[in-house]
Amino acid sequence: MPDASAPTVHVTDSPSADELAAIGEGLAGFNEGDVGPSGRRPLAVLVRNGGELVGGLSGYTAWGWLYVQWLWIAEAQRGQGLAPRLLNAAESEASARDCHGAYIDTFNPQALHVYQKAGYTVFGMLPNFPPGRTRSFLSKSLA
């Protein structure tokens, strides 16, 4: 007979905001007890043209690192050197927050070239992620 008090596992593609918050808060609490407070702070750099958002970078700083989660430039604005400007602005802010490194990932070959040109080096790769591409993980020292 199954133990009614035993934990059960449930798979879903529609977790509630409260469930996701509980997972995040639980992990953050564990990590803080393990390695200390992260000092996590959001960071965004926005590009506007006539008030219209035409690009941006979104990420956060934590434990002395900048993580660039998203970097997007509108098609009409590409090729104008905006990506390096966004990275530089984020790195400057991260340095002001006492960060010593930055990391980013991409599966786009053009973005990979831009990041490498900006001083990032590949430290890991996942082939066929997505199929036909390689996801590259890059880092850069801010010291």
Side-chain angles (χ1 to χ4, degrees), residues 65-124:
W65 282 86
L66 163 65
Y67 172 55
V68 178
Q69 182 176 16
W70 297 327
L71 193 157
W72 164 75
I73 307 290
E75 186 71 35
Q77 306 298 321
R78 293 181 189 162
Q80 298 179 29
L82 288 173
R85 289 175 56 195
L86 288 169
L87 288 168
N88 187 55
E91 292 163 7
S92 293
E93 175 60 23
S95 292
R97 296 180 185 188
D98 294 324
C99 290
H100 60 272
Y103 65 107
I104 192 168
D105 65 270
T106 187
F107 52 77
N108 181 283
Q110 294 153 326
L112 176 63
H113 177 73
V114 168
Y115 302 152
Q116 289 175 316
K117 199 170 174 185
Y120 286 76
T121 57
V122 174
F123 68 86

